Structure formats: structure tokens, C-alpha cells
Amino acid sequence: MSKAANQIRERNGRFPSVTEAFFLIVALFAAEYVVGAALRDLRGLSGVDPRDISGVVTVLGNGILFSALLYYKRMSYASLFHPSTNSVGATIGTLSVPILLTIPAMTLAMSALVSMLEWLFPIPRWQKAMFERMMSNEFAAIVAVCILAPFLEEMLFRGIILRSFLQQYGRNRGFLYSAALFGLAHLNIYQFTVGFIGGIFLAWLYERTRSLWPCILLHGAYNSLITWGWYSDSKPEEAVSEAPVLVWALSILLAFAGFRLLQRLLGVRAAP
């Protein structure tokens, strides 16, 4: 079936609304909780550490949700990932370099922002312990944060939610509403702030390209650099405070060049 025919068959294009999107996120958490509870009940038989199955829980929970969503909207995974008329290869080949140029400055800026928020609102001990427990299994954490999260979060927040919001609310409100929900889904003020700001950039990138692949690249590269900082000798906040002025200046220069190049390449908005 052609891409145009696939788009014609798509139905319920204005689902979800803001309220419906909020309950979709709640439904996702519920699906992951049920799947996780079922697998944890079996761990006594398998002897598997619960931290080792977090990725499986995420995939199965999202699989349940997306199976229902794609059936309801009559969409294929191909039309979800890349409804653009441009080829995937051309899109990624053209945009990869300018996107990657923005990552160092984005990482430094977001880490500095999180450090300031942690100073204003110290992280509760239980929340810090929970996060450290989640990151204690290096392989599982890398898979979850650097691979699964960029794919699954972009599929939901840009591929389903923002795509619908652009039809219902227009460009500016669609960007703000989807970014706010993306931040809220992280369930803490630190990641809410990072998610909201990053969500605006990701929304702009999706609206211009009509493809999830550039968004996945940006999301995955940012998460990977943050994760590398976590497992390196210095934590991200230490790296920010110790970063020489030259590193900041070079990162900002690269980000400016990358964003200006993206603006030139994506100056003509992709057709909805």
C-alpha cells in the first residue's frame, strides 16, 4: 500500500485531545505496572533480578498501548514513524550532522539547569535512592535510557500526541501542550523542566520534518551523552562546573551552527 493510501485510511486523526492524552499516559503507566507485577511474581521461578527486566516491562507495556492506538487510528508503524513524503534516508542523511552539533551545548545547558533546580529544590533521599537503584545495572540502564526511551517516547509524544495536537490546536499551542505532557510524564520537577524545554525543540523538529527519525536521533544522542557522564568518573553536574570556558564557547558555537543549518534546511515546513 502506498504512503498516500495509508494516510487516507488513517482515522480519528484528532485523537487524542489534551485530556485524552493525559489519560493515555496514565494508561501507559498502568499497563507497565500490571506487566511488571506479573513478571515480578515469576521472578522466584526464574531467579531474574527485577532490575534486569525493566526494559522488558517497558516494551510490553508500550506494546499493549500502541497495539490499541494503531488499531483505533488505523495506522501502520511506517506511517507513524515517517509520514513525510521525503525518504527516510534523505531525511536522516541531511539532518544528522546539524542535529548532533547541538548536543554538547544542550547537555551542558540542561545539566546546569538541573544543578540549579537541585540547589533550589534538593532531591528527596528516597528519590535519589530510587534513581541510583535504576542505574545500578549498567547494561539494562543503557538499553532503557539510550535505546528504548528515545524510540518509545517519541512514538507516543510526537508520533501520536503532537501529531494530533497540530491538527486540533495549531502550531504554538500544540508545541506547548505536548511539551508540558512530555515533562509531566517524567514525574519530577527536574526532568519536567528538561523534558519541557527539550520537548519544544523536538516538537519543532517533528513539525518541520514530519518524521520521528530526527527526533529519535536527537533524543537518543542527548540521553547517551548524559548516561555516559553518569557512568564516567565525574557526574554531569560536576562536569558542568569543571568545564572550561573554552568548552562552553565551542559547544555554543557548534550548537549555533547546527541550529542555523537546521533552519536553512527546514525553512519550508513539511506538508501535514
Side-chain angles (χ1 to χ4, degrees), residues 10 12-26 28 65-66 69 73 75 80 152-170 173-183 185 203 206 210 212:
E10 183 183 338
N12 301 311
R14 290 176 176 264
F15 175 87
S17 64
V18 170
T19 304
E20 291 165 338
F22 174 80
F23 284 106
L24 273 182
I25 296 168
V26 173
L28 175 60
L65 180 68
F66 277 105
L69 280 174
K73 293 175 73 68
M75 289 172 64
L80 172 67
L152 298 175
E153 290 178 2
E154 292 310 312
M155 287 165 66
L156 179 59
F157 288 97
R158 258 59 67 180
I160 296 291
I161 292 176
L162 176 62
R163 182 171 176 161
S164 170
F165 284 6
L166 289 173
Q167 294 187 47
Q168 297 178 74
Y169 308 117
R173 286 198 295 163
F175 283 14
L176 290 173
Y177 294 165
S178 64
L181 285 169
F182 182 53
Y206 177 81
R210 295 293 168 169
L212 290 185

Side-chain angles (χ1 to χ4, degrees), residues 63-254:
I64 293 169
L65 180 68
F66 277 105
S67 295
L69 280 174
L70 296 184
Y71 175 79
Y72 180 68
K73 293 175 73 68
R74 202 183 292 274
M75 289 172 64
S76 66
Y77 278 100
S79 63
L80 172 67
F81 273 89
H82 193 75
S84 172
T85 54
N86 299 321
S87 72
V88 174
T91 300
I92 294 298
T94 304
L95 301 179
S96 293
V97 171
I99 286 173
L100 293 176
L101 287 176
T102 67
I103 299 300
M106 187 185 305
T107 304
L108 285 172
M110 293 297 193
S111 298
L113 179 59
V114 169
S115 295
M116 184 181 70
L117 288 171
E118 290 177 354
W119 178 72
L120 292 171
F121 310 101
I123 302 176
R125 188 174 300 173
W126 65 267
Q127 193 172 62
K128 183 179 292 188
M130 181 180 68
F131 186 74
E132 290 177 349
R133 189 164 57 248
M134 182 186 76
M135 301 295 286
S136 62
N137 185 318
E138 186 172 344
F139 176 77
I142 289 172
V143 170
V145 175
C146 303
I147 300 174
L148 295 182
F151 271 90
L152 298 175
E153 290 178 2
E154 292 310 312
M155 287 165 66
L156 179 59
F157 288 97
R158 258 59 67 180
I160 296 291
I161 292 176
L162 176 62
R163 182 171 176 161
S164 170
F165 284 6
L166 289 173
Q167 294 187 47
Q168 297 178 74
Y169 308 117
R171 185 172 184 262
N172 294 336
R173 286 198 295 163
F175 283 14
L176 290 173
Y177 294 165
S178 64
L181 285 169
F182 182 53
L184 282 171
H186 290 83
L187 301 178
N188 63 74
I189 188 174
Y190 320 102
Q191 288 178 296
F192 168 82
T193 307
V194 171
F196 179 78
I197 296 171
I200 295 291
F201 188 18
L202 287 163
W204 176 81
L205 195 59
Y206 177 81
E207 187 257 354
R208 290 284 169 163
T209 62
R210 295 293 168 169
S211 175
L212 290 185
W213 291 111
C215 302
I216 291 168
L217 174 62
L218 175 67
H219 196 155
Y222 173 80
N223 281 13
S224 297
L225 194 53
I226 289 291
T227 304
W228 173 81
W230 174 267
Y231 288 115
S232 66
D233 292 336
S234 61
K235 295 293 184 287
E237 60 272 13
E238 295 171 352
V240 169
S241 62
E242 296 170 2
V245 174
L246 181 61
V247 172
W248 273 94
L250 181 59
S251 298
I252 292 170
L253 182 63
L254 290 175

Side-chain angles (χ1 to χ4, degrees), residues 31-50:
E32 290 183 353
Y33 177 80
V34 170
V35 171
L39 292 178
R40 279 191 293 271
D41 286 342
L42 296 174
R43 73 178 184 271
L45 298 175
S46 62
V48 176
D49 190 318

